[in-house]
Amino acid sequence: MTATPATVIQIAESVVAEINAGDFSKKNLAAQRLYVPNFDLEDMKELRVTVVPREVEYLPLDRVSNKFHATIDVAVQKKFSKGDAKEIDPLVFFVEELADYFRLKRLNSFVAARCVKVENAVLYSVEHWTQFNQFTSLLTLTFELAK
C-alpha cells in the first residue's frame, strides 16, 4: 500500500505542476521541488525555479478540524553577466507574473488549497548578487485549507 504524501508535499508538487504548465514570459520552465536548493554556479547559467515546502501551521477551526496553512517558497535564480536592467528586469517581471498567478488561486491538482498570501520579501538577494553574480528572488506562497 502506497502512503499518501504529506499535505504540504502535495501542495508543493501542485505548485511545481502549475508553474511548469503555466503560460509565463519565461518559456520551457522546469520547476522542481527540493528541500535544500544547492546548485553549482555552472548550473545557474540557466533559469532555475525551485519550490521548497517551508512551514506548516495548524490553527483550530472547530472541535474536529484545523485550518491548515502551508508556506511554500519559490526561488527564481539565474547567473547574470552584467546585472543591468536589460538582463534583470525580465526576471523581476517573471517573479511578479508568478505572484499574480498564485494570488487567491486554488491549485488545479489540489483544489482544497487556496493561496491566501503572496509575499516577495526578497526581491533580489544582495549577497548572491555581489558574491556570485546571481539573481535570486524569493516568493513565499501561503496556502490554506481545512483539515
Side-chain angles (χ1 to χ4, degrees), residues 29-145:
L29 289 174
Q32 61 186 58
R33 179 179 65 85
L34 297 172
Y35 285 104
V36 180
N38 187 14
F39 303 110
D40 292 330
L41 278 178
E42 283 298 310
D43 297 333
M44 301 313 290
K45 289 180 180 177
E46 299 298 320
L47 178 66
R48 293 257 181 201
V49 179
T50 310
V51 176
V52 179
R54 187 179 77 185
E55 184 176 276
V56 177
E57 182 180 28
Y58 298 91
L59 302 166
L61 185 60
D62 57 34
R63 290 184 199 187
V64 294
S65 60
N66 290 308
K67 187 184 296 185
F68 179 93
H69 285 172
T71 304
I72 308 291
D73 284 336
V74 179
V76 174
Q77 299 176 288
K78 187 174 190 316
K79 187 166 175 50
F80 57 78
S81 54
K82 295 180 182 175
D84 58 10
K86 182 179 177 183
E87 199 173 11
I88 302 302
D89 287 356
L91 297 171
V92 174
F93 178 73
F94 172 61
V95 173
E96 184 176 291
E97 280 183 297
L98 290 173
D100 289 343
Y101 177 82
F102 283 105
R103 190 179 69 78
L104 297 176
K105 172 135 181 80
R106 287 200 181 273
L107 295 167
N108 293 327
S109 60
F110 199 80
V111 294
R114 183 171 66 103
C115 187
V116 295
K117 183 178 178 185
V118 178
E119 185 179 10
N120 189 200
V122 180
L123 184 60
Y124 61 92
S125 166
V126 174
E127 182 180 324
H128 285 193
W129 188 287
T130 57
Q131 289 182 8
F132 309 123
N133 285 354
Q134 177 180 299
F135 173 84
T136 298
S137 187
L138 187 64
L139 192 63
T140 301
L141 310 173
T142 302
F143 290 88
E144 181 179 271
L145 67 137

